Amino acid sequence: MAYDYSSLVQTTKRWAEQALAAGWINTDVAQQLSDVDTRTPDTLFNHSGSRPLIVAFMGGTGVGKSSLLNRLAGKAIARAGIVRPTSREVTLYHHHSVAIKHLPEQLPLAQIKTSEHDNESRKNVIWIDMPDFDSTEQSNKRQVLEWLPHIDVLIYVVSPERYRDEKAWRLLLAEGGRHAWLFVLNQWDRGQTEQYEDFKQQLHKAGFTDPVIFKTICGESLQADEFVQLESTISSLATEHIVAQLEQRSSQIKKDELRQNLQGTRRLLGSASAFQQLPTLWQEQWQRSAQMLQQGFAWPVQQLAKHYADHAADLLNNPATAKYTTRGAKLNLWDDWSEARFDDALDEFVINADQLGVPVSPLKKQLSTLREKAPKIVQAQSELAARQALANPGNALHRGFLKFMRLCEIVLPLAAICWVGYQVFIGYYTSNMTDVEYLGVDFAIHSSLLIAITWLTPFFILKKLKPSLEKSALRGLNKGLNNASNIIDSEIQQVIENFGNQHSEQLKQLDGIIELCAASDRQSPIDSDSPLARMLID
């Protein structure tokens, strides 16, 4: 489905604005997309319905553009010849029914000379005499460039002496595909056939297969020329059908130019394959950096483990003083060295991503939050793991064995006491019933030793196997650092994933606009035998 060019431009500008804000494109690219020219002949007079064909004489100094317009009008409506050797003004010649009340801001009506006529055969044509493009006056060039987007047909006027004018020729090459062109070799009474053929050959090189060239004479010479054929050709083009064809062709050319511009911008956004390499690129970078950080944390972790062990009671039993207890943790564990190494890791990752052709500005913005968040993650995870380790020192097997010893510390002495009591009772009963001697001193000593052994053995085992708070804190801190490393890695991986999704969305939006630009307007084909076909560059 065809899409209106002005709507495509507005959609492109909106995309460029948000892409610039997000960092996907730089200011120059955004400005280039925002400066897309939307001017057309159709917007020149803000008309409603059908409009006239807009024809302009263009050429260098002294080639006779004004003289041609004066000959067309049958009177001196544009100053020419010795009166104005250099054209500095724009002259409009049109039917009186064409109401020119205002023009675009860049084309002030006060600086334009207008002349009206009553010739009905020329009713559907607006003739414009433009300033000399090759003049040293920069304002002349600016005026020509401002008017060009509003022109349907450009009549490129040359003279036998000046048909190889470099400035006007560069303009023709730049604007060639955007207009229909007629060529006038004026002052032909001074020309030669070799010059005509050379001029025609130059037009072949510019892209015109069979250019339409008229030889005219605008002086006092009575020689016959082709001015009538020029006027007749213009009249044959001044139909609603031809004007519509020119508008549709111009619109499609501008769409193609916009599409090429957008395709160039798309390449600046990087390829999907480059974004797919980012997770692996970060993993390799983080493995090296995490190992370096772990080595650098070795001594601070040992010092912090001692600190935690010395303040374990406050840390676990009095949370209100925890912030004072752990105040040194952040300073000692995540210091300037750690921060510098982490920043180096992110910076190197960004540099490597840039080498892959990935736009790094949005990546930098999303990673910037991790630079501030990483110390907090390390602090929180290391402190949490240290608290948990101090609350549950040792490993599970160790803690299970200690629980068993505490149980034995209670059960074994009680069992020994019960056995001794039983023996005392039985011995006393037996001694009364028989002549057997009562238990005696040896039993008293042995039973005391038994009770002491069953109590002291678990007691000393518990004392000797009591977990070291420092080792527990050290183990907890190392576990916390590993957890923090995994969390940081996970969050950066999430940033990379979000970054890739955002890139895909940007490409999707851009590809949608490019696809709309590629949709051709429905238009009737131009007959290859018609004069219009000869006036266009394919």
Side-chain angles (χ1 to χ4, degrees), residues 46 49 78 113 119 136 153 197 227 234 249 254 262-263 298 330 383 386 393 429 447 464 472 492 519:
N46 293 328
K113 180 180 179 181
N119 190 334
T136 56
V153 180
E197 293 298 331
F227 183 82
I234 293 296
R249 184 177 185 275
K254 290 183 177 180
L262 290 173
Q263 287 174 338
K330 182 177 180 180
E383 183 174 336
Y429 178 79
S447 61
K464 293 298 182 182
S472 297
I492 294 182

Side-chain angles (χ1 to χ4, degrees), residues 1-4 8 11-12 252 255-256 258-260 262-263 266 507-521:
M1 180 182 71
Y3 206 74
D4 180 68
L8 283 173
T11 302
T12 299
Q252 191 58 50
K255 286 182 182 180
D256 292 340
L258 179 59
R259 176 170 56 85
Q260 293 174 3
L262 290 173
Q263 287 174 338
R266 190 187 192 283
L507 291 184
K508 181 180 178 181
Q509 295 178 18
L510 200 56
D511 288 340
I513 303 175
I514 293 174
E515 184 178 349
L516 291 174
C517 290
S520 300
D521 292 327

Side-chain angles (χ1 to χ4, degrees), residues 193-209:
T193 304
E194 292 79 5
Q195 294 171 322
Y196 173 84
E197 293 298 331
D198 187 39
F199 181 49
K200 188 175 183 179
Q201 186 64 31
Q202 293 299 315
L203 294 177
H204 281 312
K205 294 179 181 179
F208 293 94
T209 305

Side-chain angles (χ1 to χ4, degrees), residues 365-379:
K365 289 182 181 179
Q366 297 183 46
L367 290 176
S368 62
T369 58
L370 268 299
R371 296 180 188 271
E372 300 176 359
K373 194 175 179 180
K376 298 178 182 178
I377 293 175
V378 171
Q379 173 66 13

